[in-house]
Amino acid sequence: MPLPRLIPCLDVAGGRVVKGVRFRELRDVGDPVELGAAYSEAGADELVFLDVAATVEARGSAVEVAARVAERVSIPFTVGGGIRSVADATAVLEAGADKVGVNSAALARPALIEELAEVLGSQAVVVAIDTEGGRVRSHAATRDAARDVVEWARECEARGAGELLVTSIDRDGTRSGYDLELLARLRDAVSLPVIASGGAGCAEHVAAALQVAEAALLASILHENPARLVSLREELRDLGVPLRDAA
Amino acid sequence: MTRSPGLEPRPLRAAIAAYGAGNVRSVELALRRLGAETELVHEPAPLLDADLAVLPGVGSAASALAGLRERGLDEALRERAAAGRPILGICLGLQLALEETEEDGGVEGLGLAPGRAVRLREGRVPRIGWAPVHWAGPEPGGEAYWFAHSYAPETPAATATSEGIVAAVEAGPFLGVQFHPEKSGAAGLRFLRAVLERCLSRA
């Protein structure tokens, strides 16, 4: 297997990086390109930019953010939020992104996953799954999608998804640890790479997640502070996690 | 920031095949960071003229090959290879350059290098992430590069492996890599710089 990955996640709204607890109470914490470049320098394995205020206007700004990020960083990055069609996804990839993330749009119309995989290749299609109590939630976790998380994960794989980004709403922003039981169930249910998200509070949490998932999404644990990524990588190495030498 | 790769007296001219299947933007940006002049090409002539032709590629093999044929770029690449002029294939670009790929029910490739692309059968697929690459020869390397693929070459022309999977293929003027140097940070730029320097030393 490739090396375990650390993926700083930048929630973007209106072209700025924002952070909220349990998907609410958004506050401005910086410029996505500057922060992304700083994380890249600090040893990030890839980056995720999620537009959490995705509207029709925001889609244009996602393409612009992708283009600006590509000029500054030479590691892979994913853009998600507001992508509802192959045309939306192609625009983001042509701007220099490597993958697109889809969530509510895929729940509303699952065939979107097949369309994206056919044109872009599975490796470019990340399906983000927000889950609470074993159920899937949509629209920034505000609605019940009336689906079981394991069944939806299997359907995503069958339709051609390349990776699953699984966020535990129960844990998001709480720093109480990733939902390891959920991650283990998904690992057994699909053969896709799984990116763990939601709940990281310390290096031990991340190390535990990387035992059951291929990658860990890092948000509030980093405090929008690239220096924290440097120290976290050192702590993980001390815990025996074989991270890439990014020099 | 990035050191100049020493491409004097003139910048190397790289033609990047643009055929509707590839993250050409990242390849373009990476080569420019290294001081090369880049051109996105949609027709045969500029692909033949450049110091280096780059065949990028993501997506599915059948539609990518159709895109190449539509633009006459398949013939231009064969002509370039026959003339001994350097070509760099990246990811799907490497797989398309083989004799065939089993993707999309089996598709005939460009035949720039021997072998075929086969579906990965072990581990999580797609194989996505950073993985160390070991080269045949005196400098085995071990640096990690970015991979994102579901198929990989089976070939007698392998020059590097990653976790037992073919990571690089060389056949005459053709060099193909399964990883994405343009997305592999500092290690990727070092690899691309070496490719550019080798092109100039041949020129």
Side-chain angles (χ1 to χ4, degrees):
Chain A
M1 299 298 288
L3 302 170
R5 287 173 274 158
L6 298 182
I7 311 177
C9 178
L10 295 86
D11 287 349
V12 179
R16 300 289 295 173
V17 181
V18 295
K19 181 58 193 167
V21 174
R22 291 176 189 253
F23 286 51
R24 292 169 195 106
E25 301 166 45
L26 301 179
R27 62 194 161 84
D28 186 324
V29 292
D31 175 67
V33 179
E34 294 302 324
L35 202 47
Y39 279 135
S40 174
E41 292 284 311
D45 293 305
E46 34 176 325
L47 300 168
V48 169
F49 297 87
L50 283 183
D51 197 317
V52 295
T55 59
V56 174
E57 306 83 66
R59 240 171 293 157
S61 84
V63 173
E64 194 201 316
V65 167
R68 288 172 58 216
V69 170
E71 300 252 354
R72 283 288 298 276
V73 308
S74 52
I75 60 169
F77 66 95
T78 302
V79 172
I83 287 165
R84 293 180 180 84
S85 67
V86 170
D88 292 342
T90 303
V92 167
L93 260 58
E94 282 180 354
D98 299 88
K99 315 179 204 174
V100 292
V102 290
N103 187 335
S104 304
L107 284 163
R109 197 171 67 80
L112 175 63
I113 299 171
E114 280 144 330
E115 293 166 14
L116 293 172
E118 189 178 325
V119 176
L120 311 172
S122 289
Q123 84 297 327
V125 183
V126 181
V127 178
I129 303 177
D130 295 334
T131 175
E132 190 166 25
R135 306 290 292 170
V136 179
R137 300 198 56 90
S138 72
H139 296 83
T142 58
R143 292 189 210 165
D144 182 356
R147 283 176 180 273
D148 172 79
V149 65
V150 170
E151 280 171 23
W152 177 233
R154 287 202 178 110
E155 181 174 342
C156 291
E157 176 171 46
R159 289 183 181 273
E163 281 177 296
L164 301 179
L165 164 54
V166 181
T167 300
S168 164
I169 303 305
D170 308 289
R171 305 295 179 93
D172 187 57
T174 64
R175 307 195 189 189
S176 59
Y178 292 89
D179 188 340
L180 300 176
E181 188 265 337
L182 167 73
L183 293 168
R185 281 169 65 211
L186 290 171
R187 175 197 57 192
D188 294 342
V190 299
S191 65
L192 300 177
V194 172
I195 304 166
S197 164
C202 60
E204 284 77 8
H205 291 156
V206 179
L210 291 172
Q211 295 285 325
V212 283
E214 280 60 50
L217 201 76
L218 308 172
S220 52
I221 187 176
L222 295 179
H223 253 311
E224 295 77 40
N225 176 11
R228 177 63 185 117
L229 180 60
V230 175
S231 62
L232 181 64
R233 283 168 52 87
E234 281 168 15
E235 290 162 33
L236 286 167
R237 280 225 173 84
D238 290 345
L239 291 169
V241 179
L243 296 176
R244 143 183 103 99
D245 178 2
Chain B
M1 293 315 296
T2 312
R3 185 178 63 86
S4 157
L7 295 180
E8 302 301 332
R10 67 167 176 82
L12 179 139
R13 289 177 304 121
I16 303 166
Y19 58 101
N23 188 346
V24 295
R25 182 68 183 145
S26 302
V27 174
E28 190 180 25
L29 288 167
L31 292 172
R32 282 192 196 159
R33 279 186 189 119
L34 293 169
E37 276 178 11
T38 59
E39 186 184 359
L40 299 183
V41 303
H42 311 271
E43 52 190 20
L47 196 62
L48 288 164
D49 290 344
D51 299 312
L52 172 67
V54 182
L55 181 60
V58 296
S60 88
S63 63
L65 274 163
L68 282 175
R69 290 201 179 107
E70 236 166 67
R71 294 164 177 82
L73 298 178
D74 57 335
E75 273 312 313
L77 286 164
R78 285 199 193 96
E79 198 178 325
R80 214 186 139 89
R85 317 234 322 127
I87 301 169
L88 174 65
I90 297 173
C91 194
L92 181 64
L94 159 60
Q95 296 172 15
L96 299 179
L98 301 172
E99 290 160 320
E100 67 168 318
T101 167
E102 69 175 31
E103 195 179 345
D104 297 322
V107 180
E108 191 187 342
L110 300 174
L112 306 182
R116 57 201 295 265
V118 297
R119 175 104 185 149
L120 291 170
R121 287 183 179 87
E122 283 174 31
R124 304 237 150 207
V125 179
R127 177 174 180 256
I128 293 179
W130 296 82
V133 169
H134 300 278
W135 299 84
E139 288 181 47
E143 282 197 290
Y145 298 89
W146 176 255
F147 289 85
H149 60 123
S150 299
Y151 292 79
E154 256 182 12
T155 171
T159 52
T161 58
S162 171
E163 302 182 302
I165 294 162
V166 172
V169 173
E170 203 166 340
F174 176 81
L175 169 62
V177 286
Q178 186 55 65
F179 55 86
H180 286 275
E182 78 282 10
K183 284 290 178 173
S184 294
L189 289 177
R190 283 192 290 275
F191 170 82
L192 287 173
R193 178 179 295 137
V195 170
L196 296 183
E197 281 168 358
R198 202 167 70 164
C199 284
L200 282 182
S201 72
R202 282 176 180 227

